[in-house]
Amino acid sequence: MKGFPLLPLALFIFHALILVESGPANSNLFREYIGAEFKNVGFSDVPINSGVEFHYILSFAIDYTTSSSPSLTDGKFNVFWDTDNLSPDRVAAIKSEHSNVRVALSLGGDTVGDGEPANFDPSSPETWISNAVSSLTKIIQEYNLDGIDIDYEHFKTDPDTFAHCIGQLISTLKKNGVVSFASIAPYDDDEIQSHYMALWKSYGHLIDYVNFQFYAYDEGTTVAQFLRYFDEQSSNYGGGKVLPSFISDGSGGLAPDGGFFTACSRLKSEGKLYGIFVWCADDSKGLGFKYEKQSQSLLAISH
């Protein structure tokens, strides 16, 4: 280091520290999917802690017809959630009651109708993008929604086409001021990851949260395994806010009564708890939303 100027070195260290500090940090974000299972769950059923940022995610909007035999509509989305309990008026009411509540919609999901896979299958990318922007803008404005979540799990196209279509959709909705945040919901499967990581590579700067489905790992996942999975996915989605998650009934991954909150406390102590999300309110109702309360209590504590 002989003769190396101290001032440039000091500036380098300063800028490096700024870069570290500007990365993701602990957040009080709580997110919950709602409406997919038609179990008469309303927004007001779910306890809301005033100390968190709370996102409901309506499940799902799908580009299929709503007929008894659903067919693809090439980006013309329809509502498939429980509209009797989760109507535009109910959205307005819960947002009026709670200033910390935002509401998003999720695209795709696993199945449509009587169990048919909800495929991502555009006839042409530009047609799909145009139809999706138009139809989703209409739904989002009708319901006064704030964000969008991408949860396609079945694909009839290659990763690059998926990345282009979804990336352009998010970009256009954000640019037009239709949504203020976007998330994706991948899980650990080769086909799923190839599509979502292609999307992340090209459009990760537009994606605010990664709702990684950690509950898709094997039932009985341990705390140590969960933390290793979290680090793996944080590496896959580098720089992203990867959110830990659980499924209400504990049927997969690290169960909420089996160490999930221990793992989250560890992540929080390391400055890596960017939020928590839950699948789903429909199932949690029968459990009295006890794990929602516990999640929000943990998130609301600042340290």
Side-chain angles (χ1 to χ4, degrees):
M1 296 292 288
K2 184 179 178 181
F4 191 85
L6 291 178
L7 183 58
L9 178 61
L11 287 172
F12 173 81
I13 293 171
F14 174 77
H15 286 299
L17 288 170
I18 290 294
L19 286 172
V20 170
E21 288 297 319
S22 65
N26 285 336
S27 163
N28 66 345
L29 176 64
F30 178 79
R31 318 188 84 205
E32 181 140 34
Y33 290 85
I34 188 169
E37 298 179 3
F38 289 79
K39 293 185 177 179
N40 295 315
V41 179
F43 297 118
S44 59
D45 292 323
V46 187
I48 298 169
N49 186 318
S50 61
V52 304
E53 179 182 352
F54 194 113
H55 291 181
Y56 290 102
I57 306 175
L58 293 164
S59 313
F60 291 96
I62 315 176
D63 53 331
Y64 275 72
T65 62
T66 56
S67 62
S68 56
S69 299
S71 59
L72 281 159
T73 57
D74 212 14
K76 296 177 182 177
F77 282 84
N78 289 300
V79 169
F80 282 83
W81 61 76
D82 180 2
T83 54
D84 288 344
N85 292 287
L86 305 167
S87 64
D89 287 346
R90 301 285 181 89
V91 172
I94 199 69
K95 290 173 72 172
S96 176
E97 282 180 48
H98 299 275
S99 61
N100 59 323
V101 165
R102 301 291 179 268
V103 185
L105 57 71
S106 185
L107 306 187
D110 184 21
T111 60
V112 61
D114 293 326
E116 179 184 345
N119 289 310
F120 180 80
D121 188 15
S123 66
S124 76
E126 301 316 312
T127 298
W128 189 93
I129 293 166
S130 176
N131 288 339
V133 167
S134 176
S135 60
L136 288 169
T137 296
K138 183 178 178 181
I139 293 169
I140 290 165
Q141 291 179 343
E142 178 188 359
Y143 278 79
N144 189 25
L145 304 180
D146 306 285
I148 190 170
D149 175 66
I150 311 299
D151 190 21
Y152 277 103
E153 301 181 1
H154 303 281
F155 309 94
K156 295 289 189 181
T157 188
D158 62 276
D160 287 342
T161 300
F162 175 72
H164 173 67
C165 290
I166 298 298
Q168 286 300 305
L169 171 64
I170 294 171
S171 176
T172 304
L173 292 178
K174 281 195 163 187
K175 183 176 65 179
N176 292 348
V178 177
V179 300
S180 58
F181 57 82
S183 57
I184 56 175
Y187 59 89
D188 190 37
D189 168 271
D190 288 346
E191 185 182 31
I192 295 286
Q193 292 281 60
S194 67
H195 284 75
Y196 281 94
M197 288 172 69
L199 173 61
W200 183 261
K201 181 179 178 181
S202 297
Y203 294 94
H205 60 288
L206 295 174
I207 297 166
D208 301 279
Y209 315 109
V210 180
N211 284 8
F212 200 86
Q213 298 183 45
F214 288 101
Y215 46 83
Y217 287 105
D218 290 342
E219 183 178 359
T221 294
T222 66
V223 170
Q225 287 172 325
F226 182 93
L227 292 170
R228 187 170 70 249
Y229 296 151
F230 182 88
D231 286 342
E232 289 173 2
Q233 301 311 330
S234 295
S235 176
N236 284 335
Y237 298 94
K241 294 179 179 178
V242 177
L243 272 58
S245 60
F246 65 84
I247 188 168
S248 303
D249 63 9
S251 61
L254 180 57
D257 62 351
F260 176 80
F261 294 106
T262 300
C264 286
S265 294
R266 177 84 61 82
L267 291 174
K268 187 160 189 171
S269 72
E270 297 171 358
K272 297 190 292 189
L273 185 61
Y274 313 129
I276 292 172
F277 85 88
V278 181
W279 178 272
C280 60
D282 306 53
D283 289 336
S284 291
K285 186 177 182 179
L287 301 170
F289 298 103
K290 60 181 178 179
Y291 300 125
E292 281 77 359
K293 295 173 187 174
Q294 192 170 349
S295 297
Q296 293 177 72
S297 293
L298 174 61
L299 292 166
I301 299 169
S302 60
H303 66 258

